[in-house]
Each structure stands twice: as structure tokens, then as C-alpha cells.
Amino acid sequence: MTASTSPFALQVPVVRERLANGLRVVLSPDRSAPVVCVAVYYHVGMRLEPQGRTGFAHLFEHLMFQGSPSMEKMELVRLVQQNGGTLNGSTRYDYTNYFEVMPSNALELALWMEADRMRGPVITTAELDNQRDVVKNEIRVNVLNRPYGSFPWIDMQERVYSNWHNSHNGYGDMEDLDAASLEDVQAFFDTYYSPANAVLIVVGDLEPEHALGLARKYFEDIPAAPAPPPADIGEPRQEEERRFSRTDPLASRPALAVSYHLPERGTPEFYAMGLLHQLLAAGDDSLLHQELVQHRGYVGEVDASLNFLGHMHNAQTPLLWTTVVVHDDDVTADQIVDAMEGVIAPLRETPVDAESLERARTKARASLLRTASDSNYPRFGLTDLLGAFELFEGDASRVNDIDARFAAVTPELVMATAREYLRPTNRNVLMLEAGAAS
Amino acid sequence: MIPPRPTVPPLAAFTLPPRRVEALPGGARATLIEAGTLPVALIRLSIRTGSADVPADSIWLDRFIHDYLREGTQQRDALEFASALAAIGGRLEVDADEHTTTLGVDVLAEHAPAAVALLTELARGPRFPEEPAERLLTDLRRTLDLAKGQPGWLSHATFRRALYGDQPYGRVIPEPSRFDSFTAQRAAEFWAATTGTRRTHLLLAGRFDAEGVLEAARTGLDGWHAGEAAPGLAVQAHSERTIHLVDRPGAEQSTMQIGIPVIDPTHPDYVALEVTNSLLGGAFSSRITMNIREDKGYTYSPRSSVSTRPGDAYWVETADVTTNVTGPSLHEIFGEIDRLRGEAPSEEELAGVRNYVAGSFVMRQSSPSALLDHLEFLDLHGLDVSYSESYLARVQAVTPEDVRRLAVEQLRPEAMTIALVGDRAQIEEQIAPYGPIKA
């Protein structure tokens, strides 16, 4: 460990076990309040849905609330809420998760429910049709019926990725959603929802031996199945800058998104890129905020991310580092891109100073702690980190190494990473033209 | 085969995490709660000034000031202040409602006292430099334009206008030409006139050194003016069965708010009203959601809630429904309200909802940020710790007849205001049976 790791960094207890059927179990006790989060992460997301069935992974997630061998439609939701809990599921690029946050007296019930769900959906055509309508309304409210709805996440990935797994619209085209059948549901379940392709995570008010015993009781006799075939989600190195534009008929002001491909997850360069994000775009002290907001007054805020559907730790690469701004007509996209390049170029030429790098590390440390203590669903933030590291790096306890990985980044590595990944030829510029009068 | 479904043992008696309350200089207060295991401190400096204090012709002056708070303090310019916070892992969040402006920051636990020092420095001495005023006004105009494109914001603004008219809670949409009167001097004068130690409450939850925090707060607030006590505000909400329609040609969905004024949190029946709301539309497994989402598929995220201000509250159902089922959605929503008014729920259904409301409370008391929200709620409504201590017992005491009675007394469909943002040409005929249309 180098001098700049902190005793105040994320450090949590992690207990890991693999059941006979291949299901991985990750436990992290936190006895400070009588609350527990139970989650199952399946290693399949938008990227692996079948061609001709865009949006299917997400539709499938909805269907997993519609009925199971022991529960009728909505019975799971009612059971969770009747016992004082809350629940959700989500579909991301590389995983689909299902979770309950419950008062800890309901731990065993939550495990039973997730084990029941893992045994497979039992649904009718009427339920499929109902959730198809619900999902279409989700797409309408989040994408179609609002300005900037697909900007930039769907718009950008459709244009910059060359591999279908990464480029297609994971929310789905309406025709593809219409084509989804009960046969598709069974095939998708059989391929991806096996115990060996999943991780059970329990975080909160638990005693590990006891929780592990319950996990065995409910999950271990779920039949093993072969792991799904490997998929190639790789992208070639980008050699030339690309520019795109589209008109949004609902938008009243132009907007701009600028994306760069990231280094591979888990590499030293990946952590250096995480610190470049902190330096350039996280917070009011960041270089891009200072340049675009404070000095030039081009925009009111700079919004940047390393993952459209989360953060740098909860997806596999390929990913994009993207900066998004909404601006006025009297500022051009070129002016903004040039101003950004004016801030980025020096990082390719000179090692960053020690004080700025240390501040970036501190911001990354605090950001990780905020992620881990996510409050909409108590204990879910840490659950999600543990699930991602178990699925993508094979060991959930690596969440405890993140601070050291950032600490190991040198000023020279930051410069080398900026040279390769913040090259103008690795850049993608998407201009949104405003189609609505303001 | 899976083993049989396990039974759930009763919820253990829940003890609230202890609150430490301390007096600070000039009548300011601090409330500290140690919570969680992660080394983060959540800090809020809550000041009793908000949009309701802004003159009628200056809507969004408060937002202009919030943006100005990012321009530094008398001791540090914008970059120096942001860098000082970033160096301890924090970034300033300014959050505000009608009566409260909160300067918030989450920092690494070791730095909580330093963060408190920075927040008090900002509260008592924002810089309000002249130079960025024009830039901030440009940003404000853009923000307004973007807001007007959002159907959810438009339906909220329309609903508020219908309920409160020109009273402060009804003033949501500003007139951009009035922005020209916003200046650095006005911002500084408004801030000075509506803040001070007497209006300040420091709230912390998470992990931190309490003595260090209190010392920093005493030093930081010492010598700041006490200021005027926050003025009271009496508001008269008015509701009648009218559809306030905002035409949005080509809209794929109709965005609606349906609601009515109800009892506020100081009323003895308020907790029973929360339970009633959860049963009717507040929870995922509630009646309205089961009907228009899980049965009909009209919508993705319908939800009802009780929105509160001091001495004032309204119940509201919010939904974005497919355009061609706008009328049928209204039919089903009012149908569920009528059903609850006509027949008390079964004890079984209600027991589940009581447990949901109780469990949600326990979970909120287990989350540092939700704990701080709860403290702000108590403050706003003049409630004390006894509200929290008695909450679970009051939830469990709600009877089926209480729920029916509250639905009859409070949720009167004949007086509900409907705000609708949608494609008039496609929906006018569908919605006409549900009330007179006012565009």
C-alpha cells in the first residue's frame, strides 16, 4: 500500500462460498440496523439479448415478477411489502438483478422468494402482453415523450460501437418487443438463468453461518445447468474522430455529447481513467466545469459519466467516458469541443501535479463510499458493488482493493492514459439539434 | 421441490437511533445522529428561507441565489471554495423547497468538522460577485426552457396553479422577462434578510467526531446575525372538479396529476391518511397501481402521495398513460377511489399495508440520508421526537373503518382537481365525461 490509501476508504467484511450447483454466495454483515438486502445477479443483460429481440432482457426482467412455481402474479411484490420491505429489479449492460430490502426478520422469506424465482417464470400470454404494454409505457415516459430522451445513451452507442452487442438499443424497438413470444421467454431462461450464471448477495443484519445455511436450504437443490456460451463483446481500437448529429423534435436547446472509449476494466489504465474523470469532470472544482461554466460561460453545467447506466465499477468494458452539455444557439459545438480539447491536451503532455492528483483520489474515495451507502434502498449500494466484482472479476472482496488501485496510479500513468484514451482520434462527437421552438 | 414458504417472525421492537440535540450560538441548533458503518458523514445546514419568501413578481429569485451560492464566499472565490470541499471528498448540494434552503455535503468521516466550517462560512458570507450575474441569468433562462419541455413539470405546475392560484405555493412557472430584475445586489439583500442563526439548524447523520463538529459549528456561527424569525404563512387551497388541460400536440402519453387538499401532518389522523394512501396508490402493490399497470398496462409508474407544507397538504395521484387510454385511466382511478369510499378494506389487506408503512419507516430510520429527511420533516411541521417515537404504534392502530372514513372525508372525487398535459385533439372527447375542461 502506498502512503495515500486511507483508513477511511471502503473496507467491508466479505464471505464467499460456492454451492454444489455452481451458485456463488456473497455475504457482508452490517449489524448497525435491523435491515437486510437480498439480491440475485444474473450474468446477462442488454448486451446478450438475441438479435431481432432488442429490449428482450429488460422485458424478461419484468416477466420475472409475474409468477413462479410457488407464487402467482404480483404475489412476490405483495409478500415483500406486507413484511415491511421494498424491492426492485434492473437490467444493465451485463447483468440483470432482482432484490428486496427487508427488515431482517424477513431474511429467510426473501431467500425463499429468490430461490423460487430462480426455478423459472410461470407466466401466461396475458401476462406477457400486459408487461409488454408496461414496458412500452416505460419507454414512452423515459424516451419517446420527453426531450433528450435517448440522448445520449441510446443515440451514442448506436453510432460509435461496431459490435451489435454494444450498439443496439437495449430498451428495445417496439416491433421487436411485439415479436417476443413465450418460447423466447423459455429459451432465454434456459440459456442464462442457471445457478452457475448467478450470484446471490446478502448484505446487512445477518450472521454469515446462519445465512449460508439458509442459502443452502433454499438454493442448493436447484438443478445445475451448463454455463451459457461465451460472447465476444470486444470493440476495435478507434483510429479516427467521428462526428454525428441528429434532430430532437421535442428539444428546445441544442446539446452536445463527447465520448471516448475507455481502457479495459481492471487494468491500471482503467483506474487512471477513473482519476482523469475526477480531475476533468467531477464537481465544481473540475477542469471542464471551470473552463466551460466559469470561464467561458458556454453552459450551466457539465455532466459526465464513465457508464451511461451506472458508474465505472458496475459494468464490463467496452464503455465510454462521456461529457454532456446543453447549450444555447449562440455557442457552437466546435467552440465547446475546442474548449474541451484545450483543457485535455495539457494532460497528454505533462504529468499532473501531486496536489491535483491527490484531490482526484480523495474525490474517487468519497464517490465510492457514496455509491456503497446509496440510500434509496438501504444496503443496496454495497450489494451492487459486490455483485459487479463477483461477476466481472470473479471475487467480490476486490471491492476492498479499489482504494489501493487508485493509490497506485502515478502522474506518469495518468499522462500515458490521457495520451492513448483522450486522443482526438478516440473521440466521438454527437450534436443534438433542437427541433422545438423555445 | 422448493421447501415450504417460511413464516416471518414478528418485527423486533425497534429503537430509534439516538438523537443528540445541542444549542448553537444565536439560537441555532444542531441535531446529530450516529448511523451506519461506512466512514461517511452526511451534513446539512438547513436554513428557513425558501421560494415562499420570494416576492410574487420574482419567481425563481431563490433559484438564482442558489446558483449564486456556487460563486464562492467572502473568504474564497468559486474555485477555492469548490477545491476546499473536494479536498475532503465533498461537493456542495443546494436543495430547497417553499420554506427551507439546505446547504448539504457528504464527506469522508474524518473531515466532518472541516466541512461544517465550510458550510457555515458559505451560509453567513456568500460572495455574490457582480461579474457572473449575466452568465447565471443566461443559465436560468435555459433551465426554464428545459423545464417547459418536461410534461411532468408542466402538469405539476398546472396542478399547483389550480390549487393555490397566485399564492406562493402556486407560483411555479416564472415569467422570464422578470429575470432582468435579478442582480447580485438583490441576491445579497434577500439572503441577508432571510437567513441568520435563528433560522439555522445543523443536521448530521453517519460517522463523525461529534465534539469536533460542534466546535466547528460554534466557531462558524459565532457572531453571525440572528436575523428575523421566519414569518408564518397562511395559505388557502382551493379545489374543484375541473380538468386543467395543457395541449401538447403529438404527445404519446397524457401526463396527469389528480388531487385534493387534505389534512396536514399535525392532524391526529395524518398517519392513518398515510396508510390509506399506501393502500390506494402509494405502494407498488396498491389498488390503483395493480389496476392500471398490472391489470390494464396503461402506464409504467403510477403513484399517489401526500405532499406537505406547514399547515397545508394535498393528496395526488400522478401517472403518464398511453394517449388512447387517457379516459379509461381516469375511469379506473376514480373507480378505485369510489370503491374505497364505499367499502372498508379487509383486515387482511390492511394488515399488509400497515406492515409496509411500518417497515418503510424502520428502513428510513436505518439510512443516514432518510434520517436527515425525517428530521427536516419534523422541523418543517413543528413536530418533536414523540412523533417518531409513537409512529409505529399509530400505524398499527389504523382500522379498516379508519381507512374508509378518511377516504370519505378527505378524498372527495367531486372536488378533485385534474391537471393534464397531453394531445388535446386526441384526448378531449375521452376526458370530457370527467369534468369541465379549462385550457
Side-chain angles (χ1 to χ4, degrees), chain A residues 379-397:
Chain A
R379 310 294 175 259
F380 174 70
L382 178 59
T383 300
D384 186 60
L385 282 170
L386 293 168
F389 275 82
E390 184 67 35
L391 283 180
F392 305 146
E393 303 197 8
D395 186 349
S397 68

Side-chain angles (χ1 to χ4, degrees), chain B residues 5-175:
Chain B
R5 193 171 98 200
T7 53
V8 177
L11 198 61
F14 178 70
T15 319
L16 290 172
R19 297 171 197 179
R20 178 172 173 188
V21 181
E22 296 283 342
L24 294 174
R29 293 166 300 144
T31 303
L32 315 181
I33 302 182
E34 289 195 32
T37 52
L38 296 172
V40 195
L42 280 68
I43 308 173
R44 296 185 193 171
L45 197 61
S46 173
I47 305 172
R48 188 52 58 85
T49 175
S51 61
D53 299 309
V54 165
D57 64 358
S58 301
I59 302 172
W60 277 26
L61 177 62
D62 51 320
R63 292 185 73 138
F64 176 67
I65 293 169
H66 302 157
D67 293 340
Y68 238 130
L69 292 173
R70 303 190 167 278
E71 298 297 327
T73 65
Q74 283 159 20
Q75 290 84 353
R76 288 167 236 256
D77 69 18
L79 178 57
E80 289 165 344
F81 188 80
S83 299
L85 268 183
I88 57 177
R91 57 196 293 181
L92 177 67
E93 302 285 346
V94 181
D95 195 20
D97 58 27
E98 294 87 348
H99 296 285
T100 312
T101 298
T102 301
L103 312 181
V105 65
D106 307 344
V107 295
L108 299 172
E110 58 190 321
H111 297 305
V116 168
L118 285 165
L119 289 184
T120 53
E121 176 183 312
L122 176 60
R124 66 187 293 173
R127 179 175 283 229
F128 296 123
E130 291 282 350
E131 177 267 327
E134 198 45 50
R135 163 166 63 82
L136 296 178
L137 287 174
T138 303
D139 293 343
L140 207 60
R141 290 186 193 100
R142 188 184 314 112
T143 303
L144 176 59
D145 248 16
L146 296 179
K148 283 180 171 172
Q150 298 293 341
W153 187 77
L154 285 176
S155 71
H156 165 76
T158 305
F159 182 79
R160 282 291 190 94
R161 189 82 194 171
L163 238 58
Y164 299 109
D166 193 40
Q167 300 175 94
Y169 303 157
R171 298 176 204 150
V172 178
I173 304 183
E175 172 49 55

Side-chain angles (χ1 to χ4, degrees), chain A residues 6-12 30-35 62 65-66 70 73-75 77-79 81-87 101-103 105-106 108-109 112 115-116 119 130-131 133-138 140-142 144-148 171 174 217-218 221 250 252-253 281-286 290 293-301 326-328 359 362-363 365-367 369-370 372-373 375 378-379 382 438, chain B residues 1-12 14 35-40 42 70-71 78-79 82-84 86-92 105-111 131-132 135 138-139 141-142 145-146 149-151 248-255 283-286 289-290 293-301 320-322 348-349 351-353 355-360 362-370:
Chain A
S6 164
F8 294 94
L10 182 68
Q11 286 294 326
V12 293
D30 170 353
R31 314 301 295 263
S32 65
V35 172
H62 276 245
F65 290 84
Q66 293 293 300
S70 307
K73 175 181 165 90
M74 288 303 279
E75 192 174 346
V77 175
R78 218 174 276 120
L79 272 172
Q81 298 200 328
Q82 283 169 359
N83 286 286
T86 180
L87 75 168
V101 184
M102 311 279 295
N105 59 321
E108 186 168 356
L109 175 68
W112 177 86
D116 187 54
R119 286 163 204 261
N130 166 250
Q131 289 305 305
D133 285 342
V134 171
V135 164
K136 285 180 175 178
N137 270 306
E138 178 176 351
R140 290 187 188 106
V141 74
N142 287 336
L144 301 174
N145 197 43
R146 69 194 306 170
Y148 314 99
Y171 238 155
M174 292 296 188
K217 176 177 173 184
Y218 293 111
D221 69 343
L250 298 179
S252 58
R253 302 271 174 146
D284 291 357
D285 65 309
S286 67
Q290 286 297 313
V293 178
Q294 290 276 339
H295 294 160
R296 297 188 185 259
Y298 285 168
V299 299
E301 59 185 324
V326 180
H327 57 99
D328 293 350
R359 198 165 70 231
T362 302
K363 289 198 286 185
R365 183 179 301 137
S367 169
L369 285 166
R370 275 192 285 268
S373 57
S375 61
R379 310 294 175 259
L382 178 59
S438 62
Chain B
M1 279 303 290
I2 189 165
R5 193 171 98 200
T7 53
V8 177
L11 198 61
F14 178 70
T37 52
L38 296 172
V40 195
L42 280 68
R70 303 190 167 278
E71 298 297 327
L79 178 57
S83 299
I88 57 177
R91 57 196 293 181
L92 177 67
V105 65
D106 307 344
V107 295
L108 299 172
E110 58 190 321
H111 297 305
E131 177 267 327
R135 163 166 63 82
T138 303
D139 293 343
R141 290 186 193 100
R142 188 184 314 112
D145 248 16
L146 296 179
Q150 298 293 341
R248 195 162 175 267
E252 298 212 14
Q253 289 176 317
S254 298
T255 302
F284 188 14
S285 56
S286 65
T289 301
M290 285 298 290
R293 173 181 153 129
E294 289 299 315
D295 186 45
K296 309 288 191 311
Y298 291 164
T299 176
Y300 167 62
S301 48
D320 298 77
V321 305
T322 312
E348 189 196 356
E349 181 186 8
V353 176
N355 285 346
Y356 169 67
V357 175
S360 302
V362 169
M363 285 196 285
R364 289 200 303 276
Q365 296 292 316
S366 307
S367 147
S369 77

